[in-house]
Each structure stands twice: as C-alpha cells, then as structure tokens.
Amino acid sequence: MRDMTLDDLHGDVGVEHTLTYADGFRRRIYAVEREVPFPEGRLIVSRTDPAGIITHANESFVAMSGFSLDELIGEQHYILRHPAMPAVAFKGLWDTINQGQKWHGYVKNLRKDGAYYWVHASVVPNIRNGRIVGFTSVRRKPSRSKVAECTELYKTLM
Amino acid sequence: MTLTFTVSPDFNTKYLPGWFVVNTLLQRQLGEGIHLETFDDFDALHAAMRADQIDLIYANPFDAARLVRDHGFIAVARPHQRPDEAIIAARADGAIHAVEDLRPGARIASTDNPDVHMMSMIMIEPADLDATNVAIQLRPNYVLVAKSVLTGEADVGFFLAETFDELSATVRNQLRVLVRSQIYVISHAFLIHPRIGDRFEALQRVLLGMVNDPKGRAALDDVGIQAWDPMDQEEVEFMIDLMVALTA
C-alpha cells in the first residue's frame, strides 16, 4: 500500500497525517474536508480473509472508495482508515469478530482522493465447518444524528 | 416416495398456474412423483418447515438462510438477474419527499414478507427510525399496502420492487418512490432437503436446461424467470452472511 500524494487529491487541499496501523505499518495520507454522500438504496459490501486482506468488493464499494477493483483486491481493509477514527474502535471490531460475533458501528472512511464518507457498518465472521474463513462487511446509509454523535465521541477517544 | 415441492408464498398469484407447469416438467424429467404444495402465508410455510415436510423449495432469501443454516438444505439454483429489491413509497401529492422527512411515530404499511421488511427497515434508519418508534400496519398483499398509503392510513408503504413495478399505472402514478434498494445479491434460491441430496446433479441439470427447451422456456415465462443460474453452497452462504450482517 503506497503513501498518498498530493496528486491523489485532484486539486483539493488536504491535511497530511501519518497513520500507524495495528500491524505496525505506517502510511502517509492526506485528509480533505469534503464529504461524499452515501448512495441512496445501496449497500457497500466487501469480504476479507481472516487477516483483513480484501478478497471481494462490490460496485458500490469501488465507487465510494475511489479506488479501482484491482487496487483494492489484495490490500488490507485498513486502506479506508480515516485519521479521525480512533484506533480503539477498530480494536473493538477485531476483538468482537475474532470471537465469532457480529460487530456494528459508525465509521468515517477515507477515499483515495482524501475525501470521506460515513457509513453504518456491520461485520460478520464467515464461519464454515466451525472455522472463521473470512469476514463480510456490509455498510449502509447512516443517520445524521448518529454521525454527529460519533464525530464528538471519536474526538474523545483519540 | 412422492416428494413435496413448495414455493415461497411471496410470489405474484398470476404465476401460480406456472408453478404447476414447472412441477409437472420436473416430475417428467426427473421421473419421480412430486407434489406441489402451496401455502397462503409465511406462517403456514414456516409450520411446514418446522415439521420437516419439504423436500424441494423455491425459497425467499430469509427462508433460504434458515433452511441452509439450520436444516442443512442444499442450494441448487437461483433465478437469473432477478434479485429481491425493496421500495419505500409515499403519496405522490403528500409532504413526504424523502425518507428523512419521516418522523418517529411514522405509520408504515407492510406485508409479512421478511426480506422486503428487512431491506425497507434498513432504508428508514437514516431518519433515526427503527422497530421501536414506528407503527407497522400489516397488510395481506402489496395492493392493500398501496391502498393504505393512498387513503392516508399509512405515511409510507414497503413494497417488493418487482410487485410495485407491476401495480397499475394509475396506482403507481399516485405514489412517490422515496428509495429503491439496489442490493443485487439477495435473491430467491431453489433448495433441496439433504435427504434427497443424491438428486442434486439431476435436478440442477433439469433446471439449467429449461432455457434451452421450448417447453422449459414456456414454463419459465409462466413463473416470470428468464433462466436458472447454478448456485453453489458458498454463494448461498455469502448471501446468508450478508443478511446476518444486515440484521445486526
């Protein structure tokens, strides 16, 4: 996964951050203060292997992320991590799904062009023959009141 | 042994004769007795599922999930390009122009179709609405859902998109579509009980071959299906994972 460059922003002004992910990988990103609305009636769907590597992404996932399908398959799902999201939220997600449980929450995602989109995300483990073989994540349009609530909450968790 | 075949009760009643034609074709081509049992509503179907009375079923996604996960049913086929999608509609001349215009206490006309209900409930979440703060009015069919909206008994109605599109133009023109789901991967599925798992290959061959034979094509037309696509166990498991995620 490469660092973002100013060329990715297509002329928008971005704030530079260096993100360190749970596996220690570091990446430079630029966050742009522009929200892309969630498409009406759609679901964003992706699947990963047990290590969080993307194995499937639907059309809405590709469109909203700004990446091509080829750029997404084989990458870590954390390619979408926005700097305004606290690491503790993702720790809670992974702890829950690795125990074979469903997780759901509100997530601010980073696009390839530095803009963002909010989702109401649900993640379920794919259990086959008693074994977790991957995870399915489904994102839907969130309510604005939940987004406002989480925006404030996440600031306190950084 | 005569096998019992059933069809999810959410099909359009105009397709009922067609399902008898499909059943006859399956009997002839598989060379065994199959009885088509239809149920008036989901309660009756679910009672038959619990009593283990079903061998073959064209199941709606919710029942498919339950039958595969809890009873070990095997996925055989799914209808080609015919996903289940939902529509939320209000009166065209009313004040509700978007889901976000709905308020707690909203009156919603719906049917007992669990898929449409689930997809539609997801689509009202952006208005901070859920099962705890809306009033659901159950109606026996989508025509009566439309009537409830048009008479003002309900603020909005939940519809199976395919059925909404088949309402008369007069009715549709009096309704405003607020949102139409575009999920694409949730669909009905043709399943068999594991006790007849040895018929999987023969049945899949017959279903997939229907589109290549004039009688088969006519039977497909009669039930509103273009063709059958093979459905493997992982595809049905994926659909179930997705629905489990949505009901979280």
Side-chain angles (χ1 to χ4, degrees):
Chain A
M1 190 183 306
R2 66 168 176 81
D3 286 340
M4 280 175 74
T5 69
L6 290 172
D7 287 344
D8 290 324
L9 309 189
H10 303 298
D12 275 340
V13 177
V15 177
E16 184 178 334
H17 298 264
T18 300
L19 297 181
T20 305
Y21 304 103
D23 58 3
F25 183 76
R26 288 164 68 87
R27 180 180 178 229
R28 184 187 65 216
I29 64 101
Y30 293 96
V32 173
E33 218 19 72
R34 177 169 60 85
E35 180 168 9
V36 175
F38 196 100
E40 291 293 338
R42 302 269 178 147
L43 294 178
I44 296 174
V45 181
S46 59
R47 300 176 91 182
T48 71
D49 70 8
I53 305 283
I54 299 170
T55 56
H56 166 96
N58 75 347
E59 201 180 288
S60 299
F61 186 108
V62 173
M64 284 301 280
S65 71
F67 290 97
S68 69
L69 184 62
D70 283 350
E71 288 172 318
L72 290 166
I73 300 296
E75 279 294 356
Q76 277 284 349
H77 212 281
Y78 59 54
I79 195 170
L80 303 178
R81 167 115 172 249
H82 193 279
M85 284 300 298
V88 68
F90 295 108
K91 183 178 183 308
L93 184 164
W94 279 103
D95 287 350
T96 304
I97 60 178
N98 276 326
Q99 287 167 17
Q101 307 294 315
K102 286 186 276 197
W103 178 91
H104 73 102
Y106 294 84
V107 180
K108 185 177 187 177
N109 280 331
L110 178 72
R111 287 167 49 91
K112 184 184 180 183
D113 61 8
Y116 66 90
Y117 58 100
W118 277 94
V119 298
H120 178 190
S122 302
V123 187
V124 292
N126 307 138
I127 300 171
R128 307 287 184 265
N129 302 315
R131 208 166 54 85
I132 295 176
V133 297
F135 301 100
T136 296
S137 177
V138 185
R139 278 81 90 199
R140 58 226 216 206
K141 187 179 179 183
S143 87
R144 297 315 298 180
S145 67
K146 296 284 186 198
V147 168
E149 213 174 277
C150 290
T151 302
E152 292 311 308
L153 172 67
Y154 294 162
K155 283 180 193 164
T156 69
L157 299 173
M158 299 301 284
Chain B
M1 180 180 90
T2 298
L3 304 176
T4 300
F5 170 40
T6 192
V7 177
S8 179
D10 57 357
F11 66 86
N12 188 320
T13 48
K14 76 177 182 186
Y15 296 136
L16 180 60
W19 282 110
F20 281 97
V21 175
V22 169
N23 186 55
T24 304
L25 189 145
L26 291 178
Q27 289 192 84
R28 284 202 187 125
Q29 299 209 7
L30 292 171
E32 57 187 318
I34 304 174
H35 165 67
L36 175 64
E37 179 80 46
T38 58
F39 297 99
D40 290 338
D41 54 36
F42 281 97
D43 281 346
L45 169 64
H46 295 161
M49 281 163 54
R50 283 193 299 274
D52 202 20
Q53 291 170 345
I54 294 162
D55 299 299
L56 308 96
I57 181 169
Y58 179 58
N60 84 339
F62 241 83
D63 291 331
R66 196 180 307 180
L67 289 165
V68 169
R69 287 271 161 99
D70 301 343
H71 300 276
F73 271 61
I74 301 161
V76 181
R78 72 194 309 172
H80 180 66
Q81 289 186 349
R82 198 177 178 214
D84 286 21
E85 304 287 0
I87 277 178
I88 301 178
R91 261 175 79 127
D93 60 358
I96 299 165
H97 291 255
V99 164
E100 284 82 351
D101 292 333
L102 293 168
R103 295 286 173 263
R107 298 161 306 152
I108 297 172
S110 185
T111 62
D112 66 349
N113 184 323
D115 313 292
V116 171
H117 198 73
M118 176 195 73
M119 291 188 275
S120 302
M121 288 302 286
I122 286 165
M123 293 194 292
I124 62 169
E125 284 179 1
D128 283 318
L129 298 178
D130 58 36
T132 65
N133 61 2
V134 295
I136 301 289
Q137 305 170 359
L138 275 186
R139 299 287 179 258
N141 58 56
Y142 294 108
V143 172
L144 292 178
V145 168
K147 189 178 169 197
S148 297
V149 176
L150 294 177
T151 58
E153 282 174 79
D155 300 309
V156 289
F158 291 170
F159 297 86
L160 178 66
E162 182 185 306
T163 310
F164 181 90
D165 293 339
E166 288 176 352
L167 291 171
S168 73
T170 315
V171 172
R172 268 185 290 123
N173 290 340
Q174 295 178 74
L175 293 167
R176 173 184 292 133
V177 174
L178 306 182
V179 60
R180 175 190 284 259
S181 73
Q182 297 174 79
I183 296 173
Y184 302 119
V185 289
I186 296 180
S187 74
H188 280 51
F190 200 115
L191 310 173
I192 55 172
H193 194 288
R195 68 177 159 247
I196 61 160
D198 58 337
R199 273 83 149 192
F200 172 87
E201 281 182 18
L203 177 61
Q204 194 179 58
R205 195 169 53 243
V206 169
L207 289 174
L208 269 51
M210 283 174 76
V211 71
N212 302 318
D213 161 74
K215 280 187 185 161
R217 267 201 307 279
L220 286 170
D221 267 355
D222 289 347
V223 292
I225 291 174
Q226 292 175 44
W228 294 102
D229 289 333
M231 189 176 202
D232 65 28
Q233 208 60 13
E234 187 48 37
E235 282 175 283
V236 77
E237 293 281 1
F238 172 47
M239 186 173 87
I240 296 169
D241 283 334
L242 198 142
M243 289 196 297
V244 170
L246 289 175
T247 49

